[in-house]
Amino acid sequence: MWVDVLIILLKVLVVLLVLIHLGALLTWAERKQSAAIQDRIGPNRARIAGRAAMGLFHALADGIKMVTKEDFVPAGAHRTLHTLAPAAALFPALVVFAAIPFGDVLRIGERVIPLQIADLNVGIVYIFAISSMAVYGTMLAGWASNNNYALLGGLRASSQMISYEITMGLSIIGVLMIYESAQLNVIVQKQGELLWGFLPKWGIVVQPAAFFLFLAAAMAENKRVPFDLPEGESEIIGYFVEYSSMKFAMFFLAEFVEIVIVSGLVATLFFGGWQVPYLYADGFHWPFGLGVWQLPHLLVVLLQVAAFGFKVLIGCWVLLTVRWTLPRFRYDQVMHLGWKILLELAFVNLLITAVVVLLIT
Amino acid sequence: MNMLPLLITFVLAGLVCALMLSLSRLFGPRRPTPVKSEPFECGMDQMEQPRRQFSVKFSVVAMLFIVFDIEVAFLYPWAVMFRRLDVAGFLAVLVFLGLLTVAFVYAWRRGALEWN
């Protein structure tokens, strides 16, 4: 009993620490990558013991700087809500990962440890329920700041987020139909099956349109370029203009943790989660009758967790790269794209999937 | 036991948020001045009170969102049971979607989705 609780505590701690640190590292990756794309050097000054480590310590230096800045609340602002808003933005991003499996099960002696914090049978519903709470952060921040720009930015942000949430929810219904489950670990397990004996039945293979719809909608949810008009640092003042010190850092961190979450979801739903092609619990089963490689259990688990991590990192990299590839939308274009194009495409994808699945069975 | 991991996650994530909120209270300076605490408006005096009326379009979007988000929530259980419900289930959902599509087309034709 106590060992069980301890194991859960350990898993939660590891996941939270990885999320926060990956989020902080992504701020560095984003700056360094933008520098590389724009032919600049980028962060290179912060040093520990004379080593710059490619500017890696800037993430740490930024954190220290944020902590020592004045925590400022503008006159006329609603103090409680102004303080709660950054927490309302960061909290959902931190807890949503609980339903995402980062590995199958780890067996140590008699004990079976699922490599997932909570194996909910409605994992998908949990993820959407929690991630839509993030809109409170932007709305409260905009409203509580007593600032015209913040209010308008908050309105822009919240209506954009709720618009794209529908597409995000609709686009994965096809995935649920094919894998017949809303439990994320089951969805991942079913992606280990093979089509025609060699092609892994990953979401991207059976639902390619859903992948692009989901990615576009998730990026809009995340308020990243090209959907960054709620808070375009370079031109548009947005909902957290009146935030300073760690409160600002929390909005910033929430954005980067959300990048990790989106990559994790994309990997789980469309790229087989922790599955490695042809790798099963006892080793590699090669297609075309090429035989079986037996592998020890621990190595299999390590490979699976590493595969999930690799997929998440690739997803983060794609999301960071998109920023320097696409220009920003105008607000009417964002709403047009969300309501009049993506929503319809998601519907059509849903109907086509339904008809095809019915015809096959 | 099933919900305990979630509870632990919520408590720990809440602690992280509380810690971050209190960190700059503890370590940051505190020197408010009247000018500093004015709401940011490019150095001008604030012309209008922020908590004013805003465009009705935002509330229309919010209403449409509620309708369609509930629709999506209804579709999840259907999608999971899809193969077992077979054609009958599909036809029932088609009626449901058809009704919503009528409402959506109405909203579209009335210009609820136009932004200019």
Side-chain angles (χ1 to χ4, degrees):
Chain A
M1 177 65 203
W2 283 111
V3 182
D4 288 325
V5 175
L6 211 66
I7 288 172
I8 295 170
L9 201 65
L10 199 68
K11 279 195 289 189
V12 175
L13 271 178
V14 168
V15 166
L16 283 183
L17 285 178
V18 167
L19 272 181
I20 292 172
H21 285 92
L22 201 54
L25 274 181
L26 280 179
T27 63
W28 166 79
E30 167 139 296
R31 291 167 68 189
K32 206 68 188 172
Q33 196 189 356
S34 8
I37 289 176
Q38 295 175 330
D39 202 12
R40 292 183 283 117
I41 297 173
N44 66 342
R45 292 301 169 91
R47 276 161 209 274
I48 292 181
R51 290 185 181 277
M54 291 174 67
L56 201 59
F57 301 128
H58 275 260
L60 194 67
D62 285 344
I64 294 170
K65 186 180 120 182
M66 290 291 186
V67 169
T68 52
K69 290 290 168 186
E70 179 170 353
D71 182 4
F72 148 89
V73 182
H78 193 300
R79 282 189 159 275
T80 321
L81 293 181
H82 187 268
T83 310
L84 276 180
L90 183 61
F91 182 78
L94 289 179
V95 298
V96 93
F97 205 89
I100 299 179
F102 48 90
D104 199 5
V105 288
L106 177 66
R107 279 172 228 279
I108 301 177
E110 291 292 291
R111 195 171 287 284
V112 178
I113 305 166
L115 292 180
Q116 180 182 18
I117 292 177
D119 193 10
L120 301 168
N121 54 2
V122 287
I124 296 270
V125 181
Y126 169 82
I127 282 176
F128 279 96
I130 299 289
S131 61
S132 51
M133 270 167 54
V135 80
Y136 285 111
T138 60
M139 217 154 57
L140 289 179
W143 187 82
S145 294
N146 190 33
N147 180 312
N148 283 308
Y149 297 118
L151 180 78
L152 292 174
L155 284 174
R156 279 202 307 272
S158 35
S159 70
Q160 170 184 329
M161 284 166 85
I162 61 179
S163 299
Y164 280 83
E165 205 176 300
I166 303 169
T167 308
M168 205 160 102
L170 263 182
S171 62
I172 58 151
I173 284 180
V175 178
L176 298 189
M177 272 180 200
I178 285 169
Y179 301 121
E180 291 183 276
S181 179
Q183 198 168 350
L184 284 161
N185 203 27
V186 175
I187 291 179
V188 173
Q189 272 159 7
K190 291 201 174 167
Q191 294 186 67
E193 293 165 11
L194 296 178
L195 287 172
W196 306 298
F198 71 98
L199 193 61
K201 198 183 169 189
W202 286 4
I204 183 86
V205 177
V206 288
Q207 282 281 304
F211 162 68
F212 288 106
L213 288 169
F214 183 82
L215 191 65
M219 276 161 68
E221 272 298 283
N222 199 352
K223 305 182 286 291
R224 294 270 309 165
V225 184
F227 300 100
D228 69 333
L229 57 176
E231 177 77 43
E233 291 99 339
S234 44
E235 297 101 22
I236 314 173
I237 306 175
Y239 55 92
F240 53 74
V241 57
E242 294 289 6
Y243 280 89
S244 63
S245 72
M246 272 319 260
K247 286 184 184 163
F248 168 77
M250 284 168 84
F251 281 112
F252 208 69
L253 185 62
E255 182 179 318
F256 283 91
V257 173
E258 276 168 19
I259 292 177
V260 183
I261 302 284
V262 168
S263 312
L265 269 180
V266 167
T268 306
L269 293 171
F270 297 100
F271 289 94
W274 42 260
Q275 298 275 6
V276 181
Y278 317 124
L279 179 67
Y280 297 96
D282 57 342
F284 281 103
H285 291 239
W286 299 109
F288 313 116
L290 288 175
V292 175
W293 285 5
Q294 300 281 349
L295 288 178
H297 173 68
L298 206 62
L299 189 61
V300 171
V301 171
L302 269 178
L303 273 176
Q304 285 173 336
V305 174
F308 181 72
F310 178 69
K311 288 168 188 175
V312 169
L313 287 182
I314 293 278
C316 295
W317 174 75
V318 169
L319 286 173
L320 292 190
T321 309
V322 165
R323 173 164 188 174
W324 302 102
T325 318
L326 297 172
R328 182 184 299 139
F329 285 116
R330 227 170 42 217
Y331 195 70
D332 59 324
Q333 292 170 328
V334 165
M335 292 316 247
H336 183 89
L337 180 71
W339 283 99
K340 295 187 182 171
I341 299 174
L342 290 185
L343 186 60
E344 276 71 1
L345 285 178
F347 259 118
V348 171
N349 181 50
L350 164 69
L351 292 179
I352 291 176
T353 311
V355 171
V356 170
V357 170
L358 274 183
L359 286 178
I360 288 175
T361 42
Chain B
M1 199 62 204
N2 200 5
M3 288 297 150
L4 184 68
L6 275 190
L7 186 73
I8 293 179
T9 316
F10 277 52
V11 170
L12 282 183
L15 280 180
V16 168
C17 290
L19 181 75
M20 284 188 158
L21 279 179
S22 51
L23 266 182
S24 40
R25 280 279 164 85
L26 289 176
F27 295 103
R30 216 154 230 295
R31 289 184 289 271
T33 62
V35 177
K36 197 196 276 178
S37 53
E38 266 174 32
F40 173 76
E41 193 139 323
C42 306
M44 310 281 284
D45 287 336
Q46 205 165 30
M47 306 249 300
E48 279 178 88
Q49 274 304 305
R51 289 176 197 140
R52 57 189 161 137
Q53 292 180 314
F54 49 84
S55 169
V56 70
K57 286 188 184 295
F58 291 110
S59 16
V60 174
V61 167
M63 278 192 281
L64 282 175
F65 161 73
I66 289 176
V67 172
F68 281 94
D69 212 37
I70 291 174
E71 172 201 351
V72 172
F74 277 139
L75 287 180
Y76 280 152
W78 166 72
V80 173
M81 299 293 287
F82 180 63
R83 283 184 216 193
R84 269 169 278 180
L85 294 173
D86 215 38
V87 183
F90 183 50
L91 291 179
V93 163
L94 272 190
V95 174
F96 174 55
L97 289 183
L99 284 173
L100 275 163
T101 309
V102 172
F104 185 64
V105 170
Y106 174 75
W108 188 330
R109 295 289 283 283
R110 289 299 298 266
L113 307 177
E114 304 299 327
W115 295 77
N116 38 37

